[in-house]
Amino acid sequence: MKKSKSLILRILIVSLSVCFLAALCIGLKLFTGVFGPPEYVYLDSYNDNTDGGFVKINDVNEVCIFDKDRLRRAKFALKYCKNISEIRTYGEHYKNLDFLKGQENVYCLNMICYCDDWSGIKNCKNIAKFIAVNSDFSDMSLLSGFTKLYFIDIQTAEVVKYADIDKLQRLNELSIGAPNIDIGEIIKAPVLNKLWISHAKDIVNIQEIKKSDNLTELHLSDSIIDKQFLLTISELSDKIYIGLSYCPFSGDEAEAEKILNDLKEKGMKVEIEDGLISISSNDK
């Protein structure tokens, strides 16, 4: 009887051990990279409508990196998830962007962060949308190799360098908030259609905008404008849509009022409030 109980106990222990090992192996297979690519990854968030948790690898189309503490989990997802179309970062300061290696299928790169070395964005060879707001991104030449890039949104306090913007053959829409705006450089983008400018302290070469054959919309907000700027948009008012919002004027107010009256006679909507000028075409 004792031998029978002992045998049953041994069988039970062996069975539980086998079950435990089997469960462990299944867990390692499903959630780690020990036995090849896992089937699930843990993410803090992977799209706008989903909270964190374990997600099937093939369902992950967006990775959000909230801070350095959660970067390790994001790196794991970036390593194994092959359907990622968008990567977002939020407000951290990174030494580099090496975690973007291998992300050749990413469609949108949304970088709300600061970085010592931005060259890592070149790993995302096929992006169509690049967004860098609340960041220190400033070197446009880093984007020159992106042949599918049609939309750029850069919001920075840094001085922007516009080198190689002419190589962006598909850039259709540019939104830029920066202290320095060089229109002569910006319009070198060969198919630029819409230009949004904000928080500019110095806009130069505005007359060069008349050389653009493709531009159809010019939007400006919270940016310092001068007499030359007003004269130029007056000339362009019958060719492209003009939209200015709350822009302070640098110069003689009497000269500004004369130009603004001319714009009103052309049918444009003009408002002045607390010294801030707003102008818009009537067709939008």
Side-chain angles (χ1 to χ4, degrees):
M1 190 70 177
K2 290 183 178 180
K3 289 183 178 180
S4 177
K5 289 183 177 179
S6 177
L7 179 60
I8 292 173
L9 183 60
R10 290 178 184 178
I11 293 173
L12 182 60
I13 291 173
V14 171
S15 298
L16 290 174
S17 298
V18 170
C19 290
F20 174 77
L21 289 173
L24 179 61
C25 290
I26 291 172
L28 291 173
K29 170 59 180 173
L30 291 177
F31 303 109
T32 74
V34 174
F35 299 122
E39 295 185 25
Y40 293 84
V41 294
Y42 184 91
L43 292 174
D44 298 289
S45 174
Y46 69 99
N47 61 41
D48 290 334
N49 302 313
T50 308
D51 294 329
F54 284 101
V55 189
K56 284 187 176 181
I57 278 184
N58 292 334
D59 291 342
V60 178
N61 52 32
E62 179 180 315
V63 170
C64 303
I65 305 172
F66 292 96
D67 52 47
K68 291 179 181 177
D69 293 335
R70 286 175 276 195
L71 179 58
R72 181 181 59 82
R73 288 198 294 267
K75 284 182 177 179
F76 186 80
L78 292 172
K79 180 179 179 180
Y80 290 109
C81 300
K82 303 303 180 184
N83 297 326
I84 297 174
S85 61
E86 181 171 355
I87 297 175
R88 300 185 186 185
T89 62
Y90 291 88
E92 281 289 333
H93 192 138
Y94 298 102
K95 182 178 180 181
N96 56 56
L97 300 175
D98 287 350
F99 55 86
L100 296 178
K101 287 181 179 178
Q103 301 306 310
E104 297 184 6
N105 296 323
V106 172
Y107 171 85
C108 177
L109 196 57
N110 192 337
M111 311 297 288
I112 304 174
C113 67
Y114 292 79
C115 188
D116 295 335
D117 180 6
W118 281 89
S119 62
I121 63 176
K122 293 182 179 180
N123 290 295
C124 303
K125 298 179 180 179
N126 293 301
I127 59 171
K129 298 177 68 176
F130 176 73
I131 302 167
V133 300
N134 295 327
S135 77
D136 58 355
F137 180 86
S138 62
D139 188 357
M140 296 282 283
S141 68
L142 293 174
L143 304 175
S144 62
F146 298 126
T147 59
K148 299 179 180 180
L149 190 60
Y150 73 88
F151 175 85
I152 296 175
D153 184 1
I154 297 172
Q155 307 294 323
T156 181
E158 303 294 318
V159 175
V160 175
K161 298 183 284 289
Y162 298 94
D164 294 333
I165 195 173
D166 57 309
K167 295 181 180 179
L168 298 175
Q169 297 295 315
R170 295 191 180 184
L171 180 60
N172 176 263
E173 185 170 353
L174 173 63
S175 178
I176 182 166
N180 64 313
I181 302 295
D182 190 333
I183 299 296
E185 291 297 316
I186 288 174
I187 65 164
K188 289 180 181 178
V191 297
L192 186 64
N193 185 250
K194 300 177 182 179
L195 176 59
W196 304 73
I197 295 171
S198 61
H199 306 102
K201 297 179 180 178
D202 186 24
I203 302 175
V204 299
N205 296 321
I206 181 61
Q207 288 182 298
E208 296 293 307
I209 203 170
K210 293 185 287 187
K211 296 180 180 179
S212 174
D213 296 324
N214 298 297
L215 196 68
T216 60
E217 296 184 26
L218 173 63
H219 302 262
L220 210 75
S221 63
D222 302 310
S223 298
I224 299 174
I225 57 176
D226 59 13
K227 176 183 177 181
Q228 187 61 62
F229 187 95
L230 289 178
L231 287 172
T232 301
I233 64 170
S234 178
E235 292 179 52
L236 292 171
S237 60
D238 59 343
K239 298 178 181 178
I240 68 174
Y241 174 80
I242 304 291
L244 271 68
S245 300
Y246 306 109
C247 294
F249 180 75
S250 172
D252 189 297
E253 292 185 7
E255 290 183 332
E257 288 181 5
K258 182 179 184 305
I259 301 171
L260 294 175
N261 287 331
D262 290 340
L263 290 173
K264 287 181 181 179
E265 291 179 2
K266 289 185 176 183
M268 300 189 73
K269 183 179 180 180
V270 177
E271 296 181 358
I272 303 178
E273 183 179 349
D274 296 329
L276 302 177
I277 298 173
S278 296
I279 302 172
S280 63
S281 301
N282 287 326
D283 56 346
K284 288 200 178 184

